[in-house]
Amino acid sequence: MIDPEIIERLAADQASLRAGVGLAKPAKWSALGSGADVALIWGECAGSGARPYRVTADLRDMGNKCTCPSRKFPCKHVIGLLCLKAEDRAPFPPADVPDWVSDWLSRRRPKATPPVRTGPAPDMQAARATQEPEAADPKAEARRIATAAKREAETTQGVRDALDVLDQWIGDQLRLGLATFMGDLMARCRQVAARLVDGKAVALARRVDEMPARILALPAGERMRAAVIELGRLVQITCAFRAAPDQPEIRRLVCTAETRESVLAHPDTVRLHTEWEVLAEQQQAQRDRLVAHVVWLLNLGTDGPRFALLLDFSHGATRRGAQFRPGERFRGTVAFYPARIPLRGILLGREPMPDAARAEWPPCGQPPLEVINQTLLAEPWRLEVPLMLPEGRLMRDGARQHWWRAADGTLALPVISDVKGAWCGTDLTLAVAIWSDHRLELLAAQSAWGRLGHG
């Protein structure tokens, strides 16, 4: 039996505990087993997808692992497994340890109690002098590489299966009619997003899950067209992954973003040290109380990518304050994630600059429509395209829709209608905006009144 103190510690998260107790039903579990010393237990729990979640726990130090995408630790499936064991609701027969449990054991670091020193303190200099470097075990390294390759292949195959499900789902929506799809938009997207999560296509699942919010935020007359565009972009992503599953940019769209260490070590990572200006800092609430922190930077130099996007996440319970001030200028190095058109980056350090160090932004360069077309030709699945707009002003039509209009009258683009204050009717020397859903979201601008910030 498990020590009652373990259950008391799990009670710290009441929501997860209640969910875990609900899962402690033998009908939901299969392949239950335990190691020879009965301290290691495992099982498979039925989830929302075709594949069950694999759950294991080490009762000696309460280490645990589950293949579900939950951000809670321990998740409800681990709690359910522990409840099964604690209350003897199902047998855990001794069995050979499965490969997926052995793989977890080989990669984890169990808690260890440091030995108690009873004699005099050792001579550290002498210890360092006599210590010999531990020889690398080539067989262990080969096993580690083979295990990692096997795990990567299994993940890729799982993603391919999930993309097959997504393709079939898109075909079903078109066959049944877009009117039916729009009438049950949120439920249908959430259902297929759960299947994608089961197949380890976590990033793509989040995109599908957020698709209804993007569509419903548009005027009613534009939602059907936006739904067709969104479904088309999903098809393009699935085709790109099948063609190049190992390409970092494509894998980032489907699975998850690379770690900071892997980005910095990648040979295609672009590093740019220059002067930057903070255009805007935004906080976007997502599901599961997750908050995305978005910072847009403008390159004040003439070389390298014009914009940089810094993206970080935090939990709603630990929401952090602003890290940047709009209009702030600094010198720093940004390492860009490998991509056809580098945008997302990692800030490696910054040094503040005087506000008057550089008064002007760089010139506009390419016309906005050329930037949009080139970006979408290279990355047709891109949701946001940052733009530098030439001289122009904001205007409003009879339907109270705001437009940005070039000073020479050759171009007019619709603007998200939350324009306030000095933006309206002011001549803008230069402006920076995000092109998304066939509309502009203004971030900052230069005018005769000085710098204008939005939001």
Side-chain angles (χ1 to χ4, degrees):
M1 298 294 289
I2 302 177
D3 191 330
E5 292 183 1
I6 296 176
I7 300 299
E8 292 178 4
R9 281 188 289 168
L10 295 176
D13 189 339
Q14 294 295 332
S16 291
L17 182 59
R18 287 193 295 269
V21 173
L23 286 177
K25 299 178 181 179
K28 290 180 173 289
W29 293 84
S30 62
L32 293 170
S34 64
D37 56 358
V38 199
L40 183 67
I41 59 174
W42 61 83
E44 296 182 349
C45 180
S48 57
R51 297 185 179 183
Y53 298 126
R54 290 177 168 179
V55 192
T56 184
D58 190 339
L59 303 181
R60 289 167 293 193
D61 58 1
M62 290 306 299
N64 55 79
K65 173 67 176 177
C66 179
T67 58
C68 78
S70 174
R71 298 183 181 91
K72 292 187 177 181
F73 187 81
C75 68
K76 62 183 181 181
H77 306 100
V78 171
I79 298 175
L81 182 72
L82 294 175
C83 289
L84 280 176
K85 181 65 175 177
E87 300 178 6
D88 288 331
R89 297 192 183 187
F92 284 78
D96 294 335
V97 180
D99 292 340
W100 55 273
V101 177
S102 300
D103 179 54
W104 171 70
L105 287 174
S106 65
R107 290 183 287 111
R108 73 182 299 259
R109 297 179 180 179
K111 299 177 182 178
T113 303
V116 179
R117 187 180 291 115
T118 57
D123 185 350
M124 298 305 296
Q125 296 293 338
R128 292 192 184 98
T130 58
Q131 186 178 10
E132 297 182 359
E134 184 178 352
D137 185 355
K139 293 184 178 180
E141 181 67 14
R143 286 195 300 269
R144 185 190 66 79
I145 295 175
T147 301
K150 179 182 177 182
R151 186 165 58 249
E152 186 76 9
E154 291 177 350
T155 300
T156 301
Q157 185 57 47
V159 171
R160 288 181 182 273
D161 295 341
L163 295 183
D164 291 340
V165 173
L166 179 62
D167 283 341
Q168 182 178 358
W169 177 82
I170 294 174
D172 291 342
Q173 310 316 309
L174 298 177
R175 178 174 54 83
L176 297 174
L178 288 176
T180 305
F181 174 61
M182 296 298 294
D184 195 23
L185 184 60
M186 297 186 67
R188 295 193 181 196
C189 289
R190 186 158 297 178
Q191 182 181 21
V192 75
R195 300 291 300 274
L196 292 173
V197 169
D198 292 339
K200 304 302 182 184
V202 180
L204 189 57
R206 182 165 55 248
R207 178 173 178 142
V208 173
D209 196 38
E210 295 171 355
M211 185 170 69
R214 292 193 296 270
I215 294 175
L216 297 177
L218 299 173
E222 299 183 19
R223 292 174 184 173
M224 191 73 74
R225 173 191 57 80
V228 174
I229 294 175
E230 290 276 359
L231 294 177
R233 287 170 175 168
L234 294 178
V235 173
Q236 291 169 328
I237 292 175
T238 60
C239 293
F241 184 88
R242 292 190 181 96
D246 297 328
Q247 187 173 347
E249 180 183 9
I250 305 301
R251 204 166 188 87
R252 190 183 315 134
L253 284 169
V254 176
C255 302
T256 185
E258 308 93 312
T259 62
R260 177 189 177 96
E261 292 74 16
S262 61
V263 172
L264 297 180
H266 199 281
D268 295 335
T269 297
V270 176
R271 286 177 171 83
L272 180 61
H273 182 76
T274 187
E275 300 173 3
W276 302 92
E277 178 175 321
V278 179
L279 295 170
E281 182 175 14
Q282 304 167 335
Q283 293 190 358
Q284 302 170 356
Q286 299 184 347
R287 288 192 62 194
D288 299 329
R289 301 183 67 189
L290 194 68
V291 178
H293 301 267
V294 181
V295 178
W296 289 99
L297 301 179
L298 172 64
N299 175 9
L300 298 178
T302 57
D303 298 328
R306 168 157 287 185
F307 301 99
L309 169 66
L310 308 181
L311 180 60
D312 197 6
F313 297 91
S314 67
H315 194 265
T318 57
R319 182 169 297 192
R320 68 184 190 187
Q323 303 294 313
F324 296 87
R325 175 176 54 86
E328 172 189 358
R329 294 181 174 183
F330 61 87
R331 289 195 65 86
T333 302
V334 173
F336 289 88
Y337 284 68
R340 294 176 176 86
I341 301 178
L343 179 62
R344 183 178 175 183
I346 300 172
L347 183 60
L348 302 181
R350 55 174 169 165
E351 302 174 359
M353 292 173 51
D355 291 339
R358 184 161 186 168
E360 300 295 334
W361 285 356
C364 177
Q366 284 183 292
L369 290 184
E370 287 187 13
V371 176
I372 295 173
N373 291 334
Q374 289 180 5
T375 302
L376 295 182
L377 282 174
E379 302 176 6
W381 44 78
R382 177 81 77 89
L383 292 175
E384 297 179 327
V385 181
L387 298 172
M388 178 76 81
L389 302 175
E391 184 178 358
R393 67 161 50 195
L394 297 183
M395 309 180 72
R396 190 171 64 182
D397 60 19
R400 305 184 68 83
Q401 167 67 50
H402 286 90
W403 294 76
W404 173 87
R405 183 176 183 273
D408 58 8
T410 59
L411 180 63
L413 298 173
V415 178
I416 296 176
S417 296
D418 57 353
V419 180
K420 302 175 183 177
W423 285 89
C424 298
T426 300
D427 290 328
L428 307 177
T429 308
L430 287 172
V432 176
I434 306 299
W435 179 254
S436 178
D437 292 322
H438 292 78
R439 276 176 168 75
L440 292 174
E441 178 186 359
L442 295 164
L443 297 181
Q446 297 281 1
S447 71
W449 307 98
R451 185 187 188 277
L452 298 177
H454 196 57

